[in-house]
Amino acid sequence: MLWSVARAQFSLSVAYLAKGLRYMREVRRAIEAYWYATMEDPEAAALEVRRVASAVNILDEAVFLHAFGDDYRRHRARDPLGKVVMGLELIRNCEEHSPALFEGLLVPGAHFGVPMHMAPTRMRVVYDWAQYVDMPADYVNIDPEATEKQKRARGEAQDAYRKEVQGRPVVVTLFDAVRFFQSLDPQLIAENPPIVRWAFAESAELESAVEVPVTDPRLESPHAHLVYRPMGLDNYEVFLLDIVCRNSDQRSAQWPAWDKAVRDRKTGLVRQAKDRNPPGGWREVRHLLIENGKVIGYSGIGDGVDLLGEQWVERTRQVANDVNRGYPYFVRAGDVEVPLQRTGNQSVAAVLDGRDLLSELREPVEKPGMDLRWLKLLEDNPDLYLATRRAAPDA
């Protein structure tokens, strides 16, 4: 077994164990499918994550609640992992019974390039759950005249979603649900997974993939773009295969949830990184980052290697702090490099002939990695931001 469980207070009898084992396997299958769907598109990811929520709901209501009744219900309400299960019930109920289509259910965060030139997409996306306030009214409004069976958005599920699900990485909450059920009954823990050398195979000669012969070349649309997943992994404990992963990606239910345990540590490392100079010997400011009509940051290129090569983005106050430490930022005017100087507590200027050249810059147009969206992405993903500030070796 991959891990041990200290308690087994809800051990399933034979009458319920068979169904419990079947739908734990479905949870594992669906989590694996979701992982691969993050290389496709948001709709594919939403379809697979709905499968997980449905299987979780079967384990919750048809297995454990039916087997243990109020004792289980009280335990679930006290356990933070149990609240995740309840929060996923809101997703399951609304996705399956609401006529509304919530396109923003999964919020895209970090994007990672996948080394497959013929893959469905070239990116893997890290999705977070939507904020409760952003959900459609049909998801969250409770009809006071509806019976308990008719309510698709029960108050308990809504509360659990707000407290333990919203805004968190999707895959982390799925593993939370796995851990919850396995903590109730260790019989639901599967065997150790085998070592899998390849995360995928496709019809291309790549060092990172297994070559699969292209289908009949006489066809008008050869299937060279198809990606092939390993089969049979759902018979074992889930260990998500390495498809361009960060160190903080949770790939097993037995790993700690990075968003709660690791984020606090990352926050401290970010503070340290902001107190030292960025990588390289200089940074050139090329663009303004504007939000609600106010300049909140700058972006440009720099000396040294970071997450995007030469590109960087920072808040105005961080640039001001870097300049105050003596780190050189400048704006180019023809062949002249005009250095930035602090002009206030959190402000800077690049003055030439009485003009502030910073004020004459513009927002980036179609400049991935230099725009406001990228700034917000780095702020939401501390490990990504650390890579742009020459993080400490253990980060």
Side-chain angles (χ1 to χ4, degrees):
M1 296 297 182
L2 277 175
W3 64 328
S4 61
V5 180
R7 54 188 168 84
Q9 62 192 90
F10 294 98
S11 183
L12 295 170
S13 65
V14 174
Y16 293 99
L17 181 59
K19 188 157 189 172
L21 291 171
R22 169 175 287 187
Y23 282 94
M24 276 300 292
R25 182 180 179 184
E26 168 64 351
V27 168
R28 297 194 298 266
R29 286 180 69 91
I31 291 176
E32 294 278 358
Y34 166 75
W35 188 242
Y36 279 88
T38 61
M39 293 191 297
E40 296 183 67
D41 55 68
E43 184 170 64
L47 288 170
E48 299 298 353
V49 85
R50 196 279 312 160
R51 284 181 56 196
V52 184
S54 294
V56 164
N57 187 249
I58 291 173
L59 285 166
D60 177 43
E61 295 187 352
V63 179
F64 282 98
L65 184 59
H66 201 275
F68 300 104
D70 288 340
D71 287 344
Y72 169 74
R73 184 181 285 108
R74 286 189 291 268
H75 174 79
R76 183 185 62 193
R78 293 192 300 264
D79 191 320
L81 299 181
K83 286 186 176 295
V84 173
V85 168
M86 291 303 302
L88 294 178
E89 179 191 312
L90 179 65
I91 300 302
R92 177 263 179 192
N93 290 351
C94 294
E95 286 295 295
E96 294 190 5
H97 299 297
S98 170
L101 175 63
F102 182 24
E103 295 183 352
L105 177 64
L106 304 184
V107 180
H111 290 63
F112 297 98
V114 177
M116 299 183 294
H117 68 281
M118 295 297 287
T121 66
R122 300 184 183 185
M123 308 296 293
R124 180 176 74 81
V125 182
V126 178
Y127 291 103
D128 294 338
W129 289 110
Q131 295 293 322
Y132 179 83
V133 296
D134 295 329
M135 286 185 157
D138 199 59
Y139 273 39
V140 297
N141 290 345
I142 299 178
D143 182 355
E145 297 182 359
T147 66
E148 280 300 313
K149 289 186 177 181
Q150 292 172 327
K151 290 178 180 178
R152 66 173 66 100
R154 296 192 301 116
E156 186 180 11
Q158 291 184 342
D159 180 68
Y161 185 89
R162 286 193 296 264
K163 291 179 177 177
E164 295 293 340
V165 175
Q166 69 171 348
R168 297 183 63 201
V170 170
V171 75
V172 172
T173 63
L174 306 185
F175 280 135
D176 280 353
V178 171
R179 289 173 58 206
F180 176 68
F181 293 123
Q182 291 179 341
S183 72
L184 301 177
D185 190 345
Q187 296 178 95
L188 299 180
I189 302 175
E191 296 297 322
N192 291 320
I195 296 174
V196 180
R197 184 178 180 189
W198 306 110
F200 54 82
E202 63 164 335
S203 303
E205 293 187 38
L206 296 174
E207 294 182 359
S208 58
V210 180
E211 182 182 1
V212 176
V214 177
T215 53
D216 193 337
R218 294 171 298 179
L219 297 176
E220 293 184 3
S221 301
H223 298 156
H225 67 284
L226 296 180
V227 175
Y228 303 88
R229 292 165 41 195
M231 295 179 63
L233 292 179
D234 58 295
N235 291 293
Y236 307 92
E237 276 299 295
V238 178
F239 187 82
L240 297 175
L241 300 181
D242 185 359
I243 305 175
V244 194
C245 294
R246 302 176 296 178
N247 291 336
S248 56
D249 277 326
Q250 187 177 359
R251 294 161 56 199
S252 166
Q254 288 71 54
W255 290 12
W258 79 268
D259 65 318
K260 291 190 173 181
V262 180
R263 185 181 289 273
D264 291 341
R265 176 175 174 269
K266 292 295 185 184
T267 300
L269 292 174
V270 166
R271 292 196 193 99
Q272 296 174 25
K274 288 183 174 182
D275 288 338
R276 59 176 178 261
N277 285 338
W282 52 266
R283 283 180 167 183
E284 178 185 348
V285 184
R286 291 193 170 183
H287 303 287
L288 303 178
L289 304 182
I290 300 175
E291 184 176 49
N292 298 324
K294 180 181 178 181
V295 176
I296 66 166
Y298 304 105
S299 66
I301 63 170
D303 174 36
V305 177
D306 57 27
L307 181 66
L308 291 170
E310 296 181 334
Q311 299 176 9
W312 59 269
V313 293
E314 295 284 5
R315 290 268 179 177
T316 53
R317 61 177 176 272
Q318 185 60 48
V319 172
N321 290 338
D322 290 344
V323 169
N324 193 51
R325 279 195 303 271
Y327 186 84
Y329 286 78
F330 64 85
V331 177
R332 190 179 298 279
D335 295 331
V336 179
E337 296 177 356
V338 182
L340 269 63
Q341 298 179 341
R342 287 195 65 156
T343 58
N345 185 33
Q346 294 183 347
S347 60
V348 289
V351 180
L352 178 66
D353 296 332
R355 297 156 42 213
D356 180 5
L357 301 184
L358 280 177
S359 65
E360 299 176 8
L361 299 178
R362 296 289 182 267
E363 293 181 87
V365 178
E366 296 183 357
K367 293 276 188 180
M370 284 191 175
D371 55 11
L372 180 62
R373 179 180 177 183
W374 187 259
L375 174 67
K376 297 296 184 66
L377 178 64
L378 295 186
E379 291 177 337
D380 289 340
N381 294 271
D383 52 327
L384 300 184
Y385 178 76
L386 285 169
T388 74
R389 297 287 301 193
R390 189 183 287 152
D394 66 343

